[in-house]
Amino acid sequence: VDTTGEWNGIAFDGPVGFKDALLADREAFVRGFVERLLEYALARKLDGPDMPVVERILERTLPNDYRLQDVIAEVVLSYPFRNVRN
């Protein structure tokens, strides 16, 4: 099993190295997570007008170190989620 790889330009070897690579640029990891979570919640791909919502979620969850429950709450309280049309 080859456990080497690269994430965001940072090479890693094994699970511990992957964790370290993720934590090296924590905001990029959290941004990607928020974007994917919001896409899942909206059941569609994000587009340009959604990016300020992502920024707002990141800003509001930063003081508590991006706690998962805070991120989920901000997604649920976001305008696109509350006004989704399916």
Side-chain angles (χ1 to χ4, degrees):
V1 175
D2 182 11
T3 62
T4 60
E6 185 176 316
W7 186 82
N8 246 11
I10 301 171
F12 64 86
D13 185 8
V16 174
F18 182 56
K19 178 183 174 185
D20 293 340
L22 290 176
L23 293 176
D25 190 358
R26 188 171 183 166
E27 186 177 333
F29 173 75
V30 175
R31 175 181 302 280
F33 178 78
V34 168
E35 289 175 359
R36 298 300 83 77
L37 183 63
L38 191 56
E39 284 181 344
Y40 181 77
L42 299 176
R44 64 173 176 78
K45 292 285 187 183
L46 299 183
D47 52 18
D50 296 315
M51 292 304 114
V53 175
V54 172
E55 291 298 325
R56 194 170 311 117
I57 292 170
L58 290 171
E59 289 172 8
R60 291 181 178 175
T61 57
L62 175 61
N64 286 332
D65 202 28
Y66 305 115
R67 285 184 353 174
L68 180 59
Q69 66 188 33
D70 294 339
V71 170
I72 292 171
E74 290 298 328
V75 166
V76 170
L77 294 172
S78 70
Y79 180 83
F81 183 81
R82 289 183 291 125
N83 295 284
V84 70
R85 294 181 190 166
N86 287 334

